[in-house]
Amino acid sequence: PFDQDHWEGYTEIVKEMGDAVQIVGDDNLVTNPKRIAYCKERKASNALLLKVNQIGSITEAITAYMDSVADGWGVMVSHR
């Protein structure tokens, strides 16, 4: 329901529903550790869709995973 950079909208939905459901960051996070850190500051997701092909290296994908689970996020791995 939101644009990928509509951080306020994501923050609001996490606040309202995040205890009951996973709000999965996809296009707003693009498996990018810098965007994940920003999202965590804003509390704008509580889960990551990890797409290895979206970020430049396996190392960056692993960092994205580690950064996400460090705060208790769920992580789903895309098959592509």
Short mmCIF file of all heavy atoms in Angstrom, two decimals, residues 18-63:
data_model
loop_
_atom_site.label_atom_id
_atom_site.label_comp_id
_atom_site.label_asym_id
_atom_site.label_seq_id
_atom_site.Cartn_x
_atom_site.Cartn_y
_atom_site.Cartn_z
N GLY A 18 2.63 -4.85 13.94
CA GLY A 18 3.89 -5.57 13.96
C GLY A 18 4.03 -6.67 15.00
O GLY A 18 4.85 -7.56 14.85
N ASP A 19 3.23 -6.61 16.07
CA ASP A 19 3.28 -7.68 17.06
C ASP A 19 2.60 -8.95 16.58
O ASP A 19 2.89 -10.04 17.07
CB ASP A 19 2.64 -7.22 18.38
CG ASP A 19 3.48 -6.17 19.09
OD1 ASP A 19 4.70 -6.11 18.85
OD2 ASP A 19 2.89 -5.41 19.89
N ALA A 20 1.67 -8.80 15.62
CA ALA A 20 0.89 -9.95 15.16
C ALA A 20 1.33 -10.50 13.81
O ALA A 20 1.11 -11.68 13.53
CB ALA A 20 -0.59 -9.55 15.08
N VAL A 21 1.93 -9.65 12.99
CA VAL A 21 2.32 -10.07 11.64
C VAL A 21 3.71 -9.54 11.30
O VAL A 21 4.20 -8.60 11.91
CB VAL A 21 1.32 -9.59 10.56
CG1 VAL A 21 -0.07 -10.16 10.79
CG2 VAL A 21 1.26 -8.08 10.51
N GLN A 22 4.31 -10.16 10.31
CA GLN A 22 5.60 -9.67 9.82
C GLN A 22 5.34 -8.63 8.73
O GLN A 22 4.60 -8.89 7.78
CB GLN A 22 6.44 -10.81 9.24
CG GLN A 22 6.98 -11.75 10.28
CD GLN A 22 7.89 -12.80 9.68
OE1 GLN A 22 7.68 -13.27 8.58
NE2 GLN A 22 8.91 -13.17 10.45
N ILE A 23 5.96 -7.48 8.89
CA ILE A 23 5.94 -6.45 7.87
C ILE A 23 7.27 -6.57 7.15
O ILE A 23 8.32 -6.19 7.67
CB ILE A 23 5.76 -5.04 8.48
CG1 ILE A 23 4.58 -4.99 9.44
CG2 ILE A 23 5.66 -3.99 7.38
CD1 ILE A 23 3.24 -5.36 8.84
N VAL A 24 7.23 -7.16 5.97
CA VAL A 24 8.44 -7.57 5.26
C VAL A 24 8.96 -6.44 4.38
O VAL A 24 8.24 -5.94 3.51
CB VAL A 24 8.18 -8.83 4.41
CG1 VAL A 24 9.44 -9.27 3.69
CG2 VAL A 24 7.63 -9.95 5.28
N GLY A 25 10.22 -6.07 4.61
CA GLY A 25 10.88 -5.09 3.75
C GLY A 25 11.39 -5.78 2.50
O GLY A 25 12.10 -6.77 2.58
N ASP A 26 11.02 -5.24 1.36
CA ASP A 26 11.46 -5.80 0.09
C ASP A 26 12.06 -4.67 -0.74
O ASP A 26 13.25 -4.38 -0.61
CB ASP A 26 10.28 -6.46 -0.62
CG ASP A 26 10.66 -7.12 -1.95
OD1 ASP A 26 11.86 -7.18 -2.29
OD2 ASP A 26 9.74 -7.57 -2.66
N ASP A 27 11.26 -4.01 -1.55
CA ASP A 27 11.79 -2.95 -2.40
C ASP A 27 12.31 -1.75 -1.60
O ASP A 27 13.16 -1.02 -2.07
CB ASP A 27 10.74 -2.48 -3.40
CG ASP A 27 10.47 -3.52 -4.47
OD1 ASP A 27 11.34 -4.39 -4.68
OD2 ASP A 27 9.39 -3.48 -5.08
N ASN A 28 11.81 -1.57 -0.39
CA ASN A 28 12.32 -0.46 0.43
C ASN A 28 13.68 -0.79 1.04
O ASN A 28 14.42 0.10 1.42
CB ASN A 28 11.32 -0.07 1.52
CG ASN A 28 11.02 -1.19 2.49
OD1 ASN A 28 11.06 -2.36 2.14
ND2 ASN A 28 10.70 -0.83 3.71
N LEU A 29 14.04 -2.07 1.11
CA LEU A 29 15.33 -2.46 1.70
C LEU A 29 16.35 -2.94 0.68
O LEU A 29 17.55 -2.78 0.88
CB LEU A 29 15.12 -3.54 2.76
CG LEU A 29 14.21 -3.15 3.91
CD1 LEU A 29 14.06 -4.30 4.89
CD2 LEU A 29 14.74 -1.92 4.61
N VAL A 30 15.89 -3.55 -0.37
CA VAL A 30 16.72 -4.09 -1.45
C VAL A 30 17.97 -4.83 -0.94
O VAL A 30 19.04 -4.74 -1.54
CB VAL A 30 17.08 -3.03 -2.52
CG1 VAL A 30 15.85 -2.58 -3.27
CG2 VAL A 30 17.83 -1.85 -1.94
N THR A 31 17.82 -5.57 0.15
CA THR A 31 18.91 -6.36 0.74
C THR A 31 20.16 -5.51 0.98
O THR A 31 21.27 -5.99 0.92
CB THR A 31 19.22 -7.59 -0.14
OG1 THR A 31 17.99 -8.26 -0.47
CG2 THR A 31 20.09 -8.60 0.58
N ASN A 32 19.97 -4.24 1.27
CA ASN A 32 21.08 -3.31 1.44
C ASN A 32 21.28 -3.00 2.92
O ASN A 32 20.39 -2.43 3.55
CB ASN A 32 20.78 -2.03 0.66
CG ASN A 32 21.90 -1.03 0.71
OD1 ASN A 32 22.42 -0.72 1.77
ND2 ASN A 32 22.25 -0.49 -0.45
N PRO A 33 22.44 -3.36 3.48
CA PRO A 33 22.65 -3.12 4.92
C PRO A 33 22.45 -1.67 5.36
O PRO A 33 21.96 -1.42 6.46
CB PRO A 33 24.11 -3.57 5.13
CG PRO A 33 24.31 -4.63 4.09
CD PRO A 33 23.55 -4.12 2.89
N LYS A 34 22.78 -0.70 4.50
CA LYS A 34 22.57 0.71 4.88
C LYS A 34 21.08 1.04 4.97
O LYS A 34 20.64 1.74 5.88
CB LYS A 34 23.26 1.64 3.88
CG LYS A 34 24.76 1.58 3.96
CD LYS A 34 25.41 2.49 2.95
CE LYS A 34 26.93 2.34 3.02
NZ LYS A 34 27.60 3.14 1.99
N ARG A 35 20.30 0.52 4.03
CA ARG A 35 18.85 0.76 4.08
C ARG A 35 18.21 0.00 5.23
O ARG A 35 17.25 0.46 5.84
CB ARG A 35 18.21 0.44 2.73
CG ARG A 35 18.58 1.48 1.67
CD ARG A 35 17.87 1.26 0.36
NE ARG A 35 16.45 1.51 0.41
CZ ARG A 35 15.86 2.67 0.15
NH1 ARG A 35 16.58 3.74 -0.15
NH2 ARG A 35 14.55 2.79 0.20
N ILE A 36 18.74 -1.18 5.53
CA ILE A 36 18.23 -1.94 6.68
C ILE A 36 18.48 -1.16 7.98
O ILE A 36 17.60 -1.06 8.83
CB ILE A 36 18.87 -3.34 6.73
CG1 ILE A 36 18.37 -4.18 5.55
CG2 ILE A 36 18.57 -4.04 8.06
CD1 ILE A 36 19.15 -5.46 5.31
N ALA A 37 19.67 -0.60 8.13
CA ALA A 37 19.99 0.19 9.32
C ALA A 37 19.04 1.38 9.44
O ALA A 37 18.52 1.67 10.53
CB ALA A 37 21.44 0.66 9.28
N TYR A 38 18.79 2.06 8.34
CA TYR A 38 17.87 3.20 8.35
C TYR A 38 16.46 2.74 8.73
O TYR A 38 15.78 3.37 9.54
CB TYR A 38 17.87 3.88 6.97
CG TYR A 38 16.97 5.08 6.89
CD1 TYR A 38 17.37 6.29 7.45
CD2 TYR A 38 15.74 5.01 6.26
CE1 TYR A 38 16.54 7.41 7.39
CE2 TYR A 38 14.91 6.12 6.19
CZ TYR A 38 15.31 7.31 6.75
OH TYR A 38 14.49 8.42 6.68
N CYS A 39 16.05 1.63 8.16
CA CYS A 39 14.72 1.09 8.44
C CYS A 39 14.59 0.70 9.91
O CYS A 39 13.54 0.94 10.53
CB CYS A 39 14.49 -0.12 7.54
SG CYS A 39 12.85 -0.84 7.67
N LYS A 40 15.64 0.12 10.47
CA LYS A 40 15.61 -0.25 11.88
C LYS A 40 15.49 0.99 12.77
O LYS A 40 14.75 0.97 13.76
CB LYS A 40 16.86 -1.07 12.24
CG LYS A 40 16.78 -2.48 11.69
CD LYS A 40 18.04 -3.30 11.73
CE LYS A 40 18.91 -3.22 12.91
NZ LYS A 40 20.03 -4.16 12.89
N GLU A 41 16.17 2.05 12.42
CA GLU A 41 16.06 3.30 13.17
C GLU A 41 14.63 3.82 13.15
O GLU A 41 14.13 4.33 14.16
CB GLU A 41 16.97 4.37 12.58
CG GLU A 41 18.45 4.15 12.79
CD GLU A 41 19.29 5.16 12.03
OE1 GLU A 41 18.76 6.22 11.61
OE2 GLU A 41 20.49 4.88 11.84
N ARG A 42 13.99 3.68 12.01
CA ARG A 42 12.61 4.18 11.85
C ARG A 42 11.56 3.18 12.34
O ARG A 42 10.38 3.50 12.37
CB ARG A 42 12.34 4.47 10.36
CG ARG A 42 13.29 5.40 9.65
CD ARG A 42 13.15 6.85 10.02
NE ARG A 42 11.80 7.33 9.88
CZ ARG A 42 11.39 8.24 9.01
NH1 ARG A 42 12.25 8.77 8.17
NH2 ARG A 42 10.15 8.64 8.98
N LYS A 43 11.99 1.95 12.64
CA LYS A 43 11.07 0.87 13.03
C LYS A 43 10.00 0.69 11.94
O LYS A 43 8.81 0.65 12.20
CB LYS A 43 10.45 1.13 14.39
CG LYS A 43 11.50 1.14 15.47
CD LYS A 43 10.91 1.31 16.83
CE LYS A 43 12.07 1.20 17.81
NZ LYS A 43 11.92 1.80 19.05
N ALA A 44 10.50 0.56 10.70
CA ALA A 44 9.61 0.53 9.55
C ALA A 44 9.42 -0.85 8.95
O ALA A 44 8.76 -0.99 7.93
CB ALA A 44 10.14 1.49 8.48
N SER A 45 9.98 -1.87 9.54
CA SER A 45 9.78 -3.27 9.14
C SER A 45 10.15 -4.13 10.33
O SER A 45 10.79 -3.68 11.27
CB SER A 45 10.65 -3.67 7.95
OG SER A 45 10.20 -3.11 6.75
N ASN A 46 9.76 -5.39 10.25
CA ASN A 46 10.21 -6.34 11.25
C ASN A 46 10.63 -7.66 10.61
O ASN A 46 10.75 -8.68 11.29
CB ASN A 46 9.17 -6.55 12.35
CG ASN A 46 7.85 -7.10 11.83
OD1 ASN A 46 7.75 -7.51 10.68
ND2 ASN A 46 6.85 -7.10 12.68
N ALA A 47 10.82 -7.61 9.30
CA ALA A 47 11.26 -8.80 8.56
C ALA A 47 11.91 -8.34 7.25
O ALA A 47 11.63 -7.26 6.74
CB ALA A 47 10.09 -9.73 8.27
N LEU A 48 12.77 -9.20 6.72
CA LEU A 48 13.51 -8.91 5.49
C LEU A 48 13.25 -10.00 4.46
O LEU A 48 13.28 -11.18 4.80
CB LEU A 48 15.02 -8.86 5.79
CG LEU A 48 15.97 -8.84 4.59
CD1 LEU A 48 15.88 -7.50 3.86
CD2 LEU A 48 17.39 -9.11 5.03
N LEU A 49 13.01 -9.60 3.22
CA LEU A 49 13.04 -10.53 2.11
C LEU A 49 14.44 -10.43 1.52
O LEU A 49 14.81 -9.43 0.91
CB LEU A 49 11.99 -10.19 1.05
CG LEU A 49 11.96 -11.12 -0.15
CD1 LEU A 49 11.73 -12.57 0.27
CD2 LEU A 49 10.89 -10.69 -1.13
N LEU A 50 15.24 -11.44 1.78
CA LEU A 50 16.65 -11.45 1.38
C LEU A 50 16.76 -11.95 -0.06
O LEU A 50 16.37 -13.07 -0.37
CB LEU A 50 17.45 -12.37 2.31
CG LEU A 50 18.93 -12.50 2.03
CD1 LEU A 50 19.65 -11.20 2.32
CD2 LEU A 50 19.52 -13.62 2.86
N LYS A 51 17.28 -11.09 -0.93
CA LYS A 51 17.48 -11.44 -2.33
C LYS A 51 18.96 -11.30 -2.65
O LYS A 51 19.47 -10.19 -2.80
CB LYS A 51 16.67 -10.52 -3.24
CG LYS A 51 15.17 -10.64 -3.07
CD LYS A 51 14.46 -9.69 -4.00
CE LYS A 51 12.96 -9.82 -3.90
NZ LYS A 51 12.28 -8.85 -4.79
N VAL A 52 19.64 -12.42 -2.72
CA VAL A 52 21.07 -12.41 -2.95
C VAL A 52 21.41 -11.70 -4.25
O VAL A 52 22.41 -10.99 -4.35
CB VAL A 52 21.65 -13.84 -2.92
CG1 VAL A 52 23.13 -13.85 -3.24
CG2 VAL A 52 21.39 -14.47 -1.55
N ASN A 53 20.56 -11.84 -5.26
CA ASN A 53 20.82 -11.21 -6.55
C ASN A 53 20.58 -9.70 -6.53
O ASN A 53 20.90 -9.01 -7.49
CB ASN A 53 19.96 -11.85 -7.64
CG ASN A 53 18.48 -11.59 -7.46
OD1 ASN A 53 17.98 -11.66 -6.33
ND2 ASN A 53 17.78 -11.32 -8.53
N GLN A 54 20.06 -9.16 -5.45
CA GLN A 54 19.74 -7.75 -5.38
C GLN A 54 20.91 -6.90 -4.87
O GLN A 54 20.96 -5.71 -5.10
CB GLN A 54 18.54 -7.56 -4.45
CG GLN A 54 17.57 -6.54 -4.89
CD GLN A 54 16.32 -6.56 -4.03
OE1 GLN A 54 16.31 -7.00 -2.90
NE2 GLN A 54 15.25 -6.06 -4.60
N ILE A 55 21.81 -7.51 -4.16
CA ILE A 55 22.94 -6.82 -3.57
C ILE A 55 24.20 -7.32 -4.28
O ILE A 55 24.18 -8.36 -4.93
CB ILE A 55 22.97 -6.99 -2.03
CG1 ILE A 55 23.91 -6.01 -1.35
CG2 ILE A 55 23.28 -8.41 -1.64
CD1 ILE A 55 23.49 -4.58 -1.40
N GLY A 56 25.30 -6.65 -4.14
CA GLY A 56 26.48 -6.92 -4.95
C GLY A 56 27.26 -8.17 -4.65
O GLY A 56 27.98 -8.67 -5.51
N SER A 57 27.16 -8.72 -3.42
CA SER A 57 28.00 -9.87 -3.10
C SER A 57 27.33 -10.74 -2.06
O SER A 57 26.41 -10.32 -1.36
CB SER A 57 29.36 -9.39 -2.57
OG SER A 57 29.20 -8.81 -1.28
N ILE A 58 27.83 -11.96 -1.94
CA ILE A 58 27.37 -12.87 -0.89
C ILE A 58 27.67 -12.28 0.48
O ILE A 58 26.86 -12.37 1.40
CB ILE A 58 28.04 -14.26 -1.04
CG1 ILE A 58 27.61 -14.93 -2.35
CG2 ILE A 58 27.73 -15.15 0.15
CD1 ILE A 58 26.16 -15.30 -2.42
N THR A 59 28.83 -11.64 0.62
CA THR A 59 29.20 -11.03 1.90
C THR A 59 28.18 -9.99 2.32
O THR A 59 27.77 -9.94 3.48
CB THR A 59 30.61 -10.40 1.80
OG1 THR A 59 31.54 -11.42 1.45
CG2 THR A 59 31.02 -9.75 3.11
N GLU A 60 27.74 -9.15 1.39
CA GLU A 60 26.74 -8.13 1.71
C GLU A 60 25.39 -8.77 2.05
O GLU A 60 24.68 -8.29 2.94
CB GLU A 60 26.58 -7.16 0.55
CG GLU A 60 27.77 -6.22 0.40
CD GLU A 60 27.67 -5.40 -0.86
OE1 GLU A 60 27.60 -5.98 -1.96
OE2 GLU A 60 27.68 -4.15 -0.74
N ALA A 61 25.05 -9.86 1.38
CA ALA A 61 23.81 -10.56 1.68
C ALA A 61 23.87 -11.15 3.09
O ALA A 61 22.89 -11.08 3.84
CB ALA A 61 23.55 -11.65 0.65
N ILE A 62 25.01 -11.71 3.46
CA ILE A 62 25.18 -12.26 4.81
C ILE A 62 25.09 -11.15 5.84
O ILE A 62 24.45 -11.30 6.89
CB ILE A 62 26.50 -13.05 4.93
CG1 ILE A 62 26.42 -14.31 4.08
CG2 ILE A 62 26.81 -13.38 6.39
CD1 ILE A 62 27.75 -15.03 3.90
N THR A 63 25.71 -10.01 5.56
CA THR A 63 25.63 -8.85 6.46
C THR A 63 24.18 -8.41 6.63
O THR A 63 23.74 -8.13 7.76
CB THR A 63 26.49 -7.69 5.93
OG1 THR A 63 27.85 -8.12 5.87
CG2 THR A 63 26.38 -6.47 6.82
#
